[in-house]
Amino acid sequence: MADSRDMYLVHSAFRREFPAAAALVRTVAANDGAAAARVADHVLILTGLLNLHHAGEDEKVWPKLLQRGPNEIAPLVETMERQHEGLHEALVEVERLATVWRWRATSADRDALASAVDAMIPPMLEHLVTEETHLLALIDKYLTDKEWAEVGAAAMATMPKNLLPMAFGMVLRDGAPEHVAGLRAVIPGPAWFVLSRLGPGAYTRYARRLGLDRVGSAA
């Protein structure tokens, strides 16, 4: 059966990166268009990764769980739908404000974006906790290891190839050994060989170029 412990790696990355992104936004000087563009693009990468994460669940996890364990899944449906709706609205607002700030680079736009990222963190955390508390056990009960691997493979196939090493390094950072082992089990051997070696360095270089090391995201 599936072993969904690798999900903790993804969740850990979101818990770390979104607060760091809000702090990074606030470091950009007013009217610094180049810096605003770089940091806004980073925020949009994060929201894209979170949307990709949810799309994989919606398309490849929930339908199987609803089919195989309806009595256990039904009580979660209303809660998860409510959380998804609220988080989706918050993400749309973050993406809108990031696009505006990228274009105008004003201090008002910067502050609005930082506040919007701050505002989306509580609903995101609520959702992540719900998944960890309830969803992962059901994944391990009702999905096979092959089906769970297909969720990750679909996400990797959808992600822009130039972002894949950096995103992989982001996910691996600070990962507990048992969670890293869980991820390795669902990644094809050749891809793991390359990404596990290239990813950490790609993420560290990316974070330092942005200045994330100054706000505590990367060493």
Side-chain angles (χ1 to χ4, degrees):
M1 301 305 294
D3 179 355
S4 61
R5 289 178 298 172
D6 55 295
M7 184 84 85
Y8 287 103
L9 294 175
V10 178
H11 288 186
S12 177
F14 290 142
R15 286 184 170 107
R16 182 185 67 244
E17 295 296 332
F18 277 101
L24 184 63
V25 168
R26 292 187 168 96
T27 69
V28 178
N31 304 314
D32 186 344
R38 287 194 301 271
V39 177
D41 285 345
H42 173 62
V43 172
L44 292 171
I45 286 172
L46 293 181
T47 60
L49 291 174
L50 185 52
N51 282 322
L52 184 63
H53 176 63
H54 287 158
E57 294 172 351
D58 291 342
E59 295 170 11
K60 295 187 174 295
V61 175
W62 279 105
K64 292 183 177 70
L65 294 182
L66 285 167
Q67 180 183 38
R68 297 170 189 177
N71 293 333
E72 293 179 86
I73 295 299
L76 274 178
V77 170
E78 182 178 350
T79 297
M80 299 293 276
E81 287 181 344
R82 173 182 57 80
Q83 291 179 350
H84 266 202
E85 182 179 350
L87 186 52
H88 176 72
E89 291 174 358
L91 281 169
V92 168
E93 180 66 359
V94 167
E95 291 175 339
R96 183 186 72 81
L97 291 170
T99 302
V100 170
W101 181 50
R102 195 186 193 286
W103 172 49
R104 299 195 304 203
T106 69
S107 59
D109 295 325
R110 174 199 64 205
D111 295 344
L113 173 59
S115 295
V117 176
D118 286 340
M120 66 146 287
I121 291 172
M124 179 189 73
L125 295 179
E126 179 189 15
H127 183 62
L128 299 182
V129 169
T130 301
E131 288 188 343
E132 292 166 359
T133 304
H134 302 288
L135 183 61
L136 299 191
L138 295 173
I139 289 172
D140 294 350
K141 182 176 180 179
Y142 288 112
L143 267 63
T144 67
D145 56 352
K146 181 180 178 180
E147 289 170 334
W148 182 239
E150 288 171 354
V151 178
M156 290 175 62
T158 304
M159 190 181 304
K161 295 299 181 285
N162 63 315
L163 291 180
L164 190 54
M166 184 279 292
F168 205 83
M170 180 188 293
V171 168
L172 285 179
R173 185 177 184 266
D174 301 332
E178 64 270 22
H179 299 157
V180 174
L183 180 63
R184 183 173 186 174
V186 299
I187 300 294
W192 177 265
F193 181 85
V194 173
L195 291 172
S196 65
R197 286 157 176 78
L198 296 182
Y203 171 71
T204 298
R205 290 189 297 273
Y206 171 84
R208 287 178 176 167
R209 285 196 301 269
L210 277 175
L212 280 168
D213 53 319
R214 296 195 302 272
V215 297
S217 179

